[in-house]
Amino acid sequence: MNRNGGLPLHAGNGRTSGYPSALGSLIKLKPRRLAFLIGFAILTLLTLNRLFSSSESNHVEVDRAEQARSDAEREAAVQKILQTRKSAFSFSDFTEEGLVLPENDHLLPATAILLGWKRLDGLRLIVNYLARYPYIKQIIVWNNNLEERLTDADFHFDSQYGTPPELMINNSGENLHDLAKYMSCSLAKYEHCYFQDDDWLNTHMDSLYSNFLNSPSLIHTTTLPMINIEHRRWSFTNEEIKMHAGFAWMGTGSFLPRNKAQRLLEQAASGNLAKDRTRVVDMYFSIWTNQYPYQLINGLTPLDQKNGWSTEGVSDHWAIVFRNMLDAASRLHDALKANPEISEKDYFPRDEEVPLVKDRHTRSPCHNDKCLFKTSIDPFPDPKEVVFNNDLQSIDEQNQKFYALDFPTNEFWDKFSFIHAVDHDPATCWNSYKSPQAGDSFGLQMVTATPMRRLTINSSKSLSYLDGSFSVMVSDHRGEQWITCKHTARPSSHSMQLDISCPSSTALPKGFHNVKIQFNANLDKPIEVCGMEVDGMQV
């Protein structure tokens, strides 16, 4: 390399001149000839520039057309959902009088927490959408956008569904990012909060809420199959120090106890969490509860996702996620190791909450949001099989520890995850991955009590080999005491219809919430379910 820092000039033929030989030849040309060549070169460059500019312009127009088509399809899907979705729960049950009735003692009102930034249309849509769900009794909008202040007049409630929730708006003095969620929840009127970002629409509100009611002390989230499989690997366990934590995204719809949000603020303060990390405290929250989140798998409905503050000025978003996730796990590990019991030094709980991961059988919302798919057959290893000793340099090291176990591949889970049993698509199927054993089961949890008489199971294969190897059982919404029903199986080429007759019970006056098929013997191969029907209604 020469002293000027550029590429070395080729002297050629032993020349010592600093000029390339071609440039020397040009200098020797006559002025008229030189002017002609320069003019020709300029004309060529202009022509090429016009061609490339035209090509680039065409690509831009194609991209714009594709984006417009994508936006139109997304808007059509959203409008279809808005026209058909409404809650199966009654508004009268969530009045002050209704909540004290004995039959409603399990119902819990909640406060929805929404962050405002630069997507006001999406925020308006979600506020109005949540108002059709009676358990959302309060909505707090925290506006992080200093350039646009919000008022009650910016939002409209459709009162055709019932009494609208109480609306509170907080125009922040600075952009607090994710921290604002937890500050808002800590101030909520009700003991449980619902989180929702403004770029997604949760089309399975009733299903998520129903599962939350069964274990309201846990975080309940919902996400895509491929995100779920990542979260299964992002679990951090060390039984010697009572560490049993897991990561989960909160923004696509999640229920949580208010006291966990309040505790996070105490944890962040006592741990001297830097300001840049408090702004992404979503990446710390679920891990610092020291509990495995309860996560359902379903499709997500995107809204306008432009102008996301979390990606502004960020070149590698995932690097930030992994760095903060590992930092959260590292801080939790060190705190638990240093202090055997909870104290004001760290505020981290030590006891694992129930149900334990092995007892969590609710898996995916039904497509119509009227039920949930349940099975005891979990293809993933227990998170306790991988021990976290705070010695990871990257998240890939954590992934490899789980891959070393009997862990489904991404390709398998994308094709055969739980959601495909109840996604209203006969071309997709849930595959149990493992062969069902005696005592294993699968079935449905209905959002409301249902006097079911017929259950149909569809598959990609004949199910006749199952006849005589299972029992049909039902229970109430708690799923604690089960009643065995009589059934008649009518198998066909790719389905099995079960005519069900259950004994009358005072515990089930309006029907039952849970129905399951429980195997009485070990099977020699995995089972596939491609759809289910309740009294002729495809779920």
Side-chain angles (χ1 to χ4, degrees):
M1 183 172 289
N2 66 11
R3 294 177 182 175
N4 294 327
L7 293 173
L9 297 176
H10 176 59
N13 297 325
R15 296 174 188 268
T16 58
S17 167
Y19 294 106
S21 58
L23 184 57
S25 300
L26 283 174
I27 293 174
K28 295 178 181 180
L29 291 175
K30 294 181 180 181
R32 181 177 297 177
R33 178 67 173 170
L34 181 59
F36 172 77
L37 288 175
I38 292 173
F40 180 76
I42 291 173
L43 180 63
T44 302
L45 289 172
L46 290 174
T47 302
L48 290 173
N49 181 64
R50 183 176 299 172
L51 288 173
F52 283 123
S53 296
S54 176
S55 176
E56 183 178 348
S57 177
N58 288 338
H59 282 301
V60 169
E61 290 301 321
V62 169
D63 290 344
R64 287 176 178 171
E66 290 179 350
Q67 183 62 51
R69 184 162 53 251
S70 176
D71 289 345
E73 291 174 352
R74 171 177 54 77
E75 180 64 22
V78 169
Q79 289 304 316
K80 183 178 180 180
I81 291 166
L82 294 177
Q83 292 169 7
T84 57
R85 278 289 195 264
K86 65 178 182 178
S87 181
F89 291 90
S90 168
F91 275 82
S92 62
D93 287 338
F94 288 87
T95 61
E96 291 185 8
E97 298 78 14
L99 286 170
V100 299
L101 296 175
E103 61 268 28
N104 294 334
D105 62 353
H106 65 295
L107 298 180
L108 297 169
T111 296
I113 308 297
L114 306 174
L115 295 189
W117 178 233
K118 294 183 178 180
R119 295 182 287 226
L120 185 55
D121 287 344
L123 191 62
R124 286 194 185 107
L125 187 149
I126 293 171
V127 167
N128 193 26
Y129 176 73
L130 291 178
R132 64 182 68 186
Y133 294 94
Y135 38 85
I136 301 297
K137 297 284 289 179
Q138 180 189 35
I139 297 177
I140 298 178
V141 175
W142 185 292
N143 179 26
N144 273 324
N145 188 352
L146 278 65
E147 298 176 359
E148 186 171 8
R149 306 282 85 180
L150 301 179
T151 68
D152 289 358
D154 289 308
F155 302 95
H156 169 71
F157 290 119
D158 188 343
S159 59
Q160 68 170 304
Y161 298 100
T163 304
E166 175 186 352
L167 177 65
M168 289 181 57
I169 298 174
N170 189 340
N171 288 299
S172 181
E174 64 174 306
N175 185 359
L176 297 178
H177 296 256
D178 284 336
L179 182 63
K181 289 181 185 177
Y182 301 94
M183 293 176 63
S184 297
C185 182
S186 69
L187 301 172
K189 180 177 180 179
Y190 299 99
E191 294 182 0
H192 297 87
C193 296
Y194 172 77
F195 283 0
Q196 172 73 64
D197 286 349
D198 61 2
D199 54 348
W200 297 98
L201 188 66
N202 182 2
T203 59
H204 298 90
M205 286 289 296
D206 278 358
S207 301
L208 181 62
Y209 179 73
S210 296
N211 194 48
F212 150 75
L213 289 178
N214 290 330
S215 48
S217 66
L218 293 170
I219 296 172
H220 290 260
T221 70
T222 179
T223 194
L224 295 165
M226 299 315 296
I227 301 299
N228 168 260
I229 198 172
E230 290 180 335
H231 290 181
R232 289 297 193 113
R233 298 190 296 264
W234 299 344
S235 296
F236 305 94
T237 306
N238 189 319
E239 292 188 273
E240 289 187 4
I241 59 174
K242 298 183 179 180
M243 184 177 185
H244 28 70
F247 178 82
W249 292 111
M250 303 295 294
T252 52
S254 54
F255 283 97
L256 64 147
R258 182 182 60 192
N259 61 17
K260 279 184 165 55
Q262 293 168 336
R263 180 178 292 161
L264 176 71
L265 300 180
E266 296 170 337
Q267 291 167 338
S270 66
N272 296 317
L273 203 61
K275 189 172 183 178
D276 65 321
R277 292 185 187 270
T278 62
R279 292 186 173 188
V280 291
V281 79
D282 248 6
M283 302 171 196
Y284 287 76
F285 173 59
S286 61
I287 293 174
W288 277 7
T289 65
N290 198 23
Q291 306 294 334
Y292 303 115
Y294 203 143
Q295 189 165 80
L296 300 181
I297 303 173
N298 59 268
L300 299 178
T301 301
L303 300 177
D304 182 2
Q305 300 194 324
K306 296 186 287 293
N307 297 318
W309 62 260
S310 61
T311 57
E312 284 189 347
V314 175
S315 58
D316 191 346
H317 185 71
W318 283 108
I320 294 176
V321 173
F322 297 147
R323 181 185 58 147
N324 288 290
M325 187 195 312
L326 291 179
D327 183 61
S330 175
R331 289 171 184 252
L332 174 61
H333 175 278
D334 289 350
L336 296 174
K337 188 174 182 179
N339 302 298
E341 301 298 331
I342 188 171
S343 71
E344 60 184 21
K345 294 180 180 179
D346 59 45
Y347 298 97
F348 295 117
R350 267 60 174 178
D351 296 330
E352 185 175 2
E353 296 175 357
V354 294
L356 303 179
V357 171
K358 65 182 181 63
D359 299 320
R360 300 179 187 180
H361 297 171
T362 308
R363 308 296 183 176
S364 288
C366 298
H367 177 76
N368 62 6
D369 198 31
K370 297 183 183 300
C371 58
L372 299 105
F373 177 68
K374 303 181 72 169
T375 179
S376 64
I377 310 168
D378 189 353
F380 296 101
D382 191 307
K384 292 180 172 63
E385 293 187 42
V386 172
V387 179
F388 178 72
N389 288 314
N390 199 15
D391 55 355
L392 301 180
Q393 299 301 313
S394 71
I395 198 65
D396 286 337
E397 295 177 32
Q398 175 79 349
N399 292 338
Q400 292 306 318
K401 291 181 179 181
F402 278 94
Y403 287 142
L405 305 174
D406 185 10
F407 199 90
T409 64
N410 287 359
E411 292 74 19
F412 176 90
W413 199 233
D414 187 40
K415 185 176 182 180
F416 293 117
S417 64
F418 301 123
I419 183 60
H420 297 313
V422 287
D423 63 358
H424 210 273
D425 184 352
T428 63
C429 305
W430 162 66
N431 182 292
S432 64
Y433 188 73
K434 302 173 182 176
S435 299
Q437 303 296 294
D440 280 337
S441 64
F442 73 92
L444 297 173
Q445 175 186 337
M446 309 305 295
V447 169
T448 58
T450 303
M452 189 185 306
R453 295 178 177 83
R454 185 172 72 253
L455 177 66
T456 304
I457 305 158
N458 300 314
S459 181
S460 59
K461 305 168 184 177
S462 172
L463 296 174
S464 58
Y465 71 98
L466 295 179
D467 193 14
S469 65
F470 62 87
S471 300
V472 177
M473 309 175 76
V474 299
S475 78
D476 65 1
H477 62 88
R478 292 182 174 85
E480 296 172 351
Q481 296 181 342
W482 292 85
I483 299 172
T484 301
C485 303
K486 295 180 180 179
H487 73 273
T488 301
R490 305 180 188 277
S492 59
S493 58
H494 293 92
S495 67
M496 177 180 288
Q497 178 179 305
L498 301 175
D499 296 329
I500 303 171
S501 176
C502 300
S504 59
S505 170
T506 56
L508 305 172
K510 298 181 180 180
F512 43 85
H513 281 80
N514 287 280
V515 57
K516 69 178 179 181
I517 294 170
Q518 181 167 294
F519 296 102
N520 303 323
N522 298 343
L523 300 187
D524 58 4
K525 60 183 177 181
I527 186 174
E528 280 192 10
V529 176
C530 308
M532 302 180 77
E533 299 174 25
V534 174
D535 290 334
M537 176 187 69
Q538 187 174 0
V539 299

